[in-house]
Amino acid sequence: KPKNKANKMKNVFSLVVLALIAAMASGFGIGQPLHIKTPLPQAKSGAASMEMRGRICDLFGTRPNRQARIVTFSHKRIKKVQHVNLQKVRYYSEDLKRTVRLRLSTRAMKTVKKYGSIDAAAKKFKVDLRQFRV
C-alpha cells in the first residue's frame, strides 16, 4: 500500500506541475493567440476630421528654430522656439486650372512674387501642387 500511495502522490504532483506549466505558457502567450476584436475606424466629420499639421512652409519646408535662446538680465539662458511666419494663401495655378491653398512663409510668398507665378516657383523647388486642395 505505501507504494500505491506514493504512485498516487506522484501522479497528482505531476498533474499539478503540468497544469502550472500550461497556465504559465498561456500567460506568456505561448499557447493559442488571443482573439481581441479591435473597433473599426469610423469616418469623422466636421471639426473631428481635421488633422494637425506641423508648422512647416509648403514651398520651402522651413521649420521652427528650436535652438533659440533668450538671455535675461541676470544672464540666465532660457530656451524658446522661433516659429515660421506662416500665412494661408490661395494662388491660381495655370497648369492645374484651379486655385491652390497653401501655407507659405512670408519669405516664400516673396519668392512666388519674384518668379511670377506659383507654378514657376513650385517647379523650381520641386513641389507637386496637385496634392494641395482648392
Side-chain angles (χ1 to χ4, degrees):
K1 283 214 175 202
K3 282 188 179 183
N4 195 10
K5 210 174 199 181
N7 283 341
K8 272 188 181 178
M9 288 299 282
K10 282 183 183 178
N11 287 340
V12 170
F13 181 73
S14 62
L15 188 65
V16 168
V17 169
L18 191 64
L20 186 65
I21 290 172
M24 285 176 38
S26 65
F28 287 114
I30 297 172
Q32 278 190 318
L34 296 174
H35 296 288
I36 301 171
K37 291 187 178 181
T38 55
L40 295 173
Q42 296 178 350
K44 297 176 184 176
S45 63
S49 66
M50 290 175 51
E51 291 184 25
M52 294 297 292
R53 292 179 54 200
R55 294 179 180 175
I56 301 171
C57 176
D58 289 333
L59 189 64
F60 286 156
T62 312
R63 296 176 171 271
N65 178 18
R66 299 193 177 276
Q67 305 296 318
R69 287 182 174 169
I70 297 172
V71 181
T72 63
F73 178 75
S74 63
H75 214 63
K76 288 182 184 173
R77 291 175 177 87
I78 302 167
K79 289 184 179 179
K80 72 173 234 171
V81 178
Q82 293 174 334
H83 292 291
V84 181
N85 187 4
L86 289 178
Q87 307 293 323
K88 291 179 183 173
V89 191
R90 284 189 292 186
Y91 289 104
Y92 183 77
S93 171
E94 295 289 334
D95 295 345
L96 301 176
K97 304 275 192 272
R98 66 176 175 91
T99 56
V100 181
R101 187 166 55 185
L102 302 161
R103 287 174 69 192
L104 296 183
S105 62
T106 50
R107 186 174 138 232
M109 289 167 60
K110 287 173 71 174
T111 304
V112 169
K113 191 174 181 180
K114 174 183 154 186
Y115 281 102
S117 70
I118 188 65
D119 298 316
K123 188 175 180 182
K124 167 74 176 165
F125 295 102
K126 298 180 178 103
V127 175
D128 184 20
L129 291 177
R130 290 176 288 174
Q131 68 184 4
F132 300 103
R133 48 187 185 144
V134 180

